[in-house]
């Protein structure tokens, strides 16, 4: 039977503190859980163009290090404000990851980038 209340194996690999890698869950609950993407919203007060999805950026930087462009800003002041917010956000999002935020001029705009050493 394929009932929504039937058993399903829930993988807990995303939960690093979990002592058990798998557990039972309702099929409907387990399916619904996987369809929800976590998003960190950029504040409306920041003037950024094409902001990057920060969870994805954090995962990539944790996994392989390097440099990621995360936003474009129309003015240097806007870019500096975004950089300050990003530094604070990443210090709380990934506390063990040493991240540096930089602002670079380019093409009549200012690029905000996050960098970290290789892991």
């Amino acid at each position: 039977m394929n009932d929504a209340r039937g058993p399903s194996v829930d993988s807990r690999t995303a939960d690093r503190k979990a002592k058990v890698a798998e557990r039972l869950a309702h099929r409907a609950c387990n399916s619904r859980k996987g369809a929800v993407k976590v998003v960190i919203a950029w504040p409306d007060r920041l003037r950024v163009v094409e902001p990057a999805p920060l969870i994805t950026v954090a995962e990539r930087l944790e996994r392989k290090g390097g440099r990621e462009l995360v936003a474009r800003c129309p003015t240097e002041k806007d870019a500096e404000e975004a950089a300050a917010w990003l530094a604070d956000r990443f210090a709380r999002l990934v506390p063990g990851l040493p991240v540096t935020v930089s602002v670079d001029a380019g093409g009549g705009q200012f690029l905000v980038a996050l960098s970290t050493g290789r892991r």
Side-chain angles (χ1 to χ4, degrees), residues 24-98:
L24 281 177
H26 290 118
R27 184 172 287 111
C29 296
N30 201 15
S31 296
R32 203 173 25 246
K33 180 181 81 174
V36 177
K37 292 194 179 236
V38 178
V39 174
I40 295 176
W42 288 70
D44 290 336
R45 65 180 169 77
L46 296 177
R47 292 181 53 199
V48 294
V49 179
E50 297 177 0
L54 298 180
I55 296 292
T56 304
V57 169
E59 289 171 348
R60 236 184 339 256
L61 287 175
E62 260 190 314
R63 191 173 60 252
K64 62 182 186 176
R67 183 171 188 260
E68 293 258 349
L69 292 176
V70 292
R72 294 182 297 131
C73 297
T75 68
E76 188 171 14
K77 182 178 184 259
D78 293 330
E80 293 294 341
E81 288 176 9
W85 179 80
L86 278 168
D88 176 64
R89 179 60 52 173
F90 266 74
R92 290 184 282 139
L93 178 62
V94 194
L97 186 66

